[in-house]
């Protein structure tokens, strides 16, 4: 499988934060199939360690596989569902989206659509203006239910997880449109690099731990289980696009600062030097409302040099888009970094 094959598989595997066992089992199985030993942490993350030429100093490179999602907040008298959101996004970004309800009681999955209660302009005077919030948004189930009792008879209850239809599309012009490119693009890149390193017998200069985390969207991801020899920590996540941002869909975005503060200056400059040396198109950027696995590790007290880079993602935390050029630039950037010497000091 190549990077895009992995990406399509990952985006089509539901994994809202808190409901990630299936995708983490897939990752563990896929890595084992490549010939590595993958270890699952108590929190459900997956780590694979590659012995390097120098085993005294280690690196960690991460990507997260948990996504935005929701849970059943309440069952309404008419049988429809209220939601409680998982992750940092707004209700307007999921209006009209198809979804799955994953039932804990019986293991069944039901389909539905996320809509405003006041959807029909032919019935509701405020259909266009009512606030998109927890009170007004609901899930219309694709089942013959007209009461709370009928919905409960399906097994649906408060706390059942809700995942969103990714609608993954790869266009002839090289664009990839999908929900959850944050951060399944990066996970696909790391999987493909593991595959290439195994097939080509590549020994990295330092022992390197590939850490696939499953709690990043709620603020604590790969912030534990770090071996004491780890000196450098690279989070591979998304580059955020918008007003005042340099990041685009055709380059790798190197973050200089996010909501947690600046990233390690010398390590950031090392990445810039590598990009220029290897003619990798890149942009430097600040993500003002953003955190990463690396910033979570810093908050947890990790004594490491930390950095963050990723493919440029348009419309982050909505129906996202990137381009194959950005994915290729990001994969090359991660590859040359992992094969480079460590930063001094």
């Amino acid at each position: 499988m190549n990077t895009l094959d992995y990406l399509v598989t990952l985006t089509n595997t539901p994994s809202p934060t808190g409901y990630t066992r299936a995708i983490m089992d897939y990752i563990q199985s896929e890595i084992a199939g490549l010939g590595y030993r993958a270890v699952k942490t108590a929190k459900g993350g997956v780590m694979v360690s590659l012995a390097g030429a120098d085993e005294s100093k280690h690196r960690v490179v991460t990507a997260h596989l948990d996504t935005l999602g929701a849970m059943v907040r309440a069952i309404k008298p008419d049988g429809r569902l209220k939601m409680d959101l998982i992750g940092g996004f707004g209700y307007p970004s999921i209006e009209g989206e198809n979804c799955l309800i994953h039932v804990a009681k019986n293991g069944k999955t039901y389909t539905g659509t996320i809509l405003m209660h006041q959807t029909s302009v032919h019935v509701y005077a405020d259909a266009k203006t009512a606030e998109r919030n927890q009170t007004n948004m609901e899930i219309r189930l694709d089942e013959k239910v007209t009461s709370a009792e009928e919905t409960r008879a399906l097994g649906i209850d408060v706390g059942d997880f809700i995942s969103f239809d990714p609608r993954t599309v790869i266009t002839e012009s090289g664009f990839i449109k999908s929900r959850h490119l944050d951060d399944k693009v990066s996970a696909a890149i790391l999987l493909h690099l593991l595959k290439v390193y195994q097939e080509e017998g590549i020994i990295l200069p330092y022992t390197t731990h590939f850490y696939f985390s499953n709690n990043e969207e709620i603020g604590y991801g790969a912030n534990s289980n770090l071996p004491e020899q780890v000196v450098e920590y690279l989070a591979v996540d998304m580059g955020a696009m918008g007003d005042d941002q340099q990041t685009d869909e055709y380059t790798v975005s190197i973050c200089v600062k996010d909501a947690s503060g600046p990233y390690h200056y010398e390590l950031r400059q090392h990445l810039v030097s590598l990009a220029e040396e290897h003619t990798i198109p890149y942009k430097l950027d600040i993500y003002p409302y953003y955190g990463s696995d690396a910033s979570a590790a810093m908050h947890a007290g990790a004594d490491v040099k930390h950095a963050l880079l990723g493919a440029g993602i348009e419309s982050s935390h909505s129906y996202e888009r990137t381009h194959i050029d950005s994915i290729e630039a990001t994969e090359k950037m991660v590859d040359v970094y992992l094969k480079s010497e460590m930063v001094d000091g």
Side-chain angles (χ1 to χ4, degrees), residues 25-329:
D25 284 349
Y26 166 77
I27 288 292
Q28 187 174 28
S29 175
E30 183 67 21
I31 291 172
L34 295 175
Y36 298 105
R37 178 175 177 267
V39 177
K40 188 174 284 189
T41 70
K43 287 194 294 186
V46 172
M47 183 184 289
V48 56
S49 300
L50 280 60
D54 183 343
E55 298 190 29
S56 65
K57 294 185 291 185
H58 294 192
R59 281 176 166 145
V60 166
V61 58
T62 72
H64 70 88
L65 283 157
D66 61 310
T67 69
L68 307 174
M71 298 177 92
V72 175
R73 171 69 179 86
I75 301 174
K76 301 178 71 172
D78 63 359
R80 295 192 176 193
L81 307 177
K82 280 190 174 182
M83 294 168 287
D84 199 49
L85 302 184
I86 299 171
F89 66 108
Y91 280 96
S93 70
I94 56 172
E95 184 175 4
E97 190 61 89
N98 291 326
C99 64
L100 299 176
I101 299 88
H102 306 275
V103 181
K105 284 183 179 178
N106 55 27
K108 292 184 178 180
T109 300
Y110 294 100
T111 65
T113 305
I114 300 167
L115 298 166
M116 279 287 288
H117 174 74
Q118 306 96 310
T119 299
S120 176
V121 296
H122 301 101
V123 177
Y124 299 101
D126 63 345
K128 297 178 181 179
T129 59
E131 185 178 355
R132 273 59 180 162
N133 58 23
Q134 189 181 76
T135 299
N136 291 330
M137 299 287 285
E138 62 188 17
I139 293 177
R140 179 186 67 195
L141 289 169
D142 300 323
E143 300 292 327
K144 290 184 176 181
V145 293
T146 57
S147 68
E149 291 72 22
E150 289 175 336
T151 295
R152 289 193 179 94
L154 298 174
I156 295 173
D157 204 348
V158 171
D160 286 339
F161 281 92
I162 299 161
S163 62
F164 309 141
D165 185 351
R167 290 187 287 132
T168 304
V169 175
I170 300 175
T171 72
E172 291 184 2
S173 54
F175 287 100
I176 300 92
K177 303 188 293 185
S178 179
R179 288 193 180 272
H180 315 317
L181 297 180
D182 169 24
D183 184 33
K184 291 180 175 180
V185 166
S186 303
I189 286 171
L190 295 192
L191 272 177
H192 186 243
L193 286 176
L194 283 169
K195 181 174 184 286
V196 170
Y197 293 165
Q198 184 73 295
E199 290 176 349
E200 298 183 4
I202 292 171
I203 304 297
L204 297 174
Y206 304 97
T207 293
T208 301
H209 309 278
F210 286 68
Y211 196 160
F212 297 88
S213 69
N214 65 329
N215 287 287
E216 193 274 349
E217 291 293 357
I218 56 172
Y220 58 95
N223 61 359
S224 62
N225 305 85
L226 302 181
E228 62 181 13
Q229 300 95 330
V230 173
V231 176
E232 292 182 358
Y233 187 122
L234 176 66
V236 188
D237 209 318
M238 67 164 187
M241 293 175 57
D243 293 346
D244 298 325
Q245 301 296 112
Q246 296 194 111
T247 298
D248 60 30
E249 296 170 90
Y250 315 109
T251 62
V252 57
S253 179
I254 300 173
C255 182
V256 301
K257 177 183 179 293
D258 65 13
S260 68
Y263 282 75
H264 191 276
Y265 180 73
E266 285 77 18
L267 183 51
R268 179 250 283 191
Q269 288 302 96
H270 178 57
L271 294 174
V272 170
S273 296
L274 289 172
E276 293 179 348
E277 177 186 349
H278 293 273
T279 321
I280 301 171
Y282 74 94
K283 302 284 184 169
L284 298 178
D285 228 332
I286 292 174
Y287 314 148
Y289 311 111
Y290 188 111
S292 71
D293 279 326
S295 54
M298 299 303 287
H299 285 305
D303 184 19
V304 296
K305 300 177 178 71
H306 71 310
L308 167 64
L309 59 80
I313 303 295
E314 213 280 324
S315 299
S316 61
H317 283 197
S318 185
Y319 186 51
E320 298 166 341
R321 192 182 78 166
T322 191
H323 193 272
I324 187 63
D325 290 352
S326 188
I327 294 175
E328 290 176 348

